[in-house]
Amino acid sequence: MQVQLSAVIITFNEEKNIERCVLSAQKVADEVLVVDSFSKDKTKSICEKLGVRFLEHGFEGHIQQKNWAKSQAKFDYVLSLDADEALDEKLAKEILSTKDNWKSNAYKMNRMTNYCGHWVRHTSWYPDTKIRLFDRRVGKWDGLNPHDEYRLPSKEYVPHLEGDILHYSFYTKAEHLLQIEKFSSIGAQALLEKGKRSNLVLILIKPLARFIKNYVVRLGFLDGKAGWDISTLSAYANYLKYKKLSRLQKQSN
């Protein structure tokens, strides 16, 4: 028996990406639900034109928003996509096949990122395997904001679907820098709330370790300039996060 599937997408000011995402989701889903954080651009009008279910809900964090969004889905079987993502043809076929023969609580898949026009096939950005197809009655969104991940209540085998989620991340390096500034603040606050501490050693070592992992261990140099930019900016993001955590510690004392 074929299961019915809800594609769930959270948005905020995603007029640049949302149409591609929705059209992709509509290939496999019986419902497309968009939960929006009161966008100021054309996100809502684009979604209404495409005929999706559109709900608005105040944003308290990526994890909180995704958990609320999945609770609003019409069906228990959920495909979760970010607004800047789409399914490639192979993955879409895999999902349709899985709907006809659903056997697991969750399924994982690779995500391939387009960075300033270059498809990244190395660094920690690929294969970037994630659980994105699941029975919402089993598991929840968890992690450390702004980096969410879907977790099952116990360890179990999670089948891997062929194909990729295509992630259209940053069109320019400047966009990446803006996100680093925003996400490093969110990440530092989340670490503080978890009781984590920062010090000079961590501020220096964490960025260096991140660069070596991305550029050397995960072969980022094979992605040319994109690999260099991702590796150096990922290191900078780590530096900024722990620098901001140190500042928050001083303010809280």
Side-chain angles (χ1 to χ4, degrees):
M1 179 179 174
Q2 186 184 72
V3 303
Q4 290 185 292
L5 183 68
S6 289
V8 179
I9 307 160
I10 66 170
T11 58
F12 178 69
N13 290 345
E14 289 287 355
E15 65 179 11
K16 185 186 294 185
N17 295 307
I18 190 60
E19 182 170 358
R20 177 181 57 230
C21 182
V22 168
L23 292 176
S24 174
Q26 287 175 335
K27 295 178 181 179
V28 300
D30 302 282
E31 171 202 34
V32 176
L33 169 64
V34 173
V35 174
D36 185 73
S37 308
F38 302 98
S39 289
K40 307 301 182 185
D41 64 359
K42 298 178 182 178
T43 298
K44 184 175 183 178
S45 61
I46 293 170
C47 287
E48 289 174 339
K49 179 189 71 175
L50 295 171
V52 307
R53 269 184 70 210
F54 189 87
L55 301 178
E56 293 177 308
H57 185 257
F59 188 81
E60 298 176 351
H62 291 81
I63 294 165
Q64 295 88 337
Q65 191 79 341
K66 285 193 173 183
N67 277 320
W68 188 86
K70 81 178 178 72
S71 75
Q72 303 303 306
K74 183 176 180 180
F75 305 114
D76 288 324
Y77 299 94
V78 170
L79 168 67
S80 176
L81 289 174
D82 291 339
D84 58 359
E85 296 174 342
L87 310 173
D88 74 5
E89 290 301 319
K90 182 181 287 188
L91 182 55
K93 290 177 181 177
E94 284 273 274
I95 292 172
L96 287 172
S97 177
T98 301
K99 286 176 65 180
D100 288 329
N101 191 28
W102 192 284
K103 293 182 177 179
S104 182
N105 287 321
Y107 295 85
K108 60 187 177 181
M109 56 209 69
N110 293 344
R111 184 172 75 157
M112 183 165 60
T113 295
N114 188 294
Y115 183 80
C116 301
H118 177 87
W119 288 109
V120 178
R121 299 179 185 277
H122 304 90
T123 78
S124 58
W125 285 22
Y126 192 79
D128 194 20
T129 305
K130 298 179 179 298
I131 292 176
R132 289 298 190 82
L133 187 66
F134 50 82
D135 182 339
R136 69 172 175 184
R137 296 166 295 187
V138 184
K140 64 178 181 178
W141 288 102
D142 206 340
L144 194 66
N145 278 320
H147 303 293
D148 50 69
E149 66 175 296
Y150 199 80
R151 291 180 182 169
L152 300 175
S154 59
K155 288 186 177 181
E156 61 182 82
Y157 173 68
V158 179
H160 187 281
L161 301 184
E162 295 298 315
D164 292 312
I165 294 174
L166 302 177
H167 179 214
Y168 296 84
S169 63
F170 303 107
Y171 295 87
T172 66
K173 189 175 176 180
E175 289 179 352
H176 192 182
L177 286 166
L178 284 173
Q179 190 198 69
I180 286 172
E181 181 62 38
K182 176 183 176 182
F183 276 18
S184 60
S185 296
I186 297 171
Q189 184 62 43
L191 286 173
L192 184 71
E193 291 171 2
K194 287 279 188 179
K196 303 294 184 180
R197 308 294 289 177
S198 178
N199 55 51
L200 182 59
V201 173
L202 289 177
I203 291 172
L204 296 175
I205 295 300
K206 285 283 188 178
L208 179 61
R210 179 64 61 87
F211 176 81
I212 292 172
K213 177 183 177 181
N214 278 312
Y215 199 68
V216 180
V217 178
R218 298 298 297 273
L219 307 179
F221 61 89
L222 294 178
D223 276 305
K225 184 178 185 302
W228 172 261
D229 286 344
I230 289 167
S231 300
T232 53
L233 290 178
S234 293
Y236 173 65
N238 238 15
Y239 163 79
L240 210 55
K241 180 171 66 176
Y242 280 91
K243 186 75 173 177
K244 289 180 178 181
L245 176 59
S246 178
R247 190 181 307 140
L248 289 173
Q249 286 171 200
K250 294 175 181 177
Q251 292 173 356
S252 63
N253 290 337

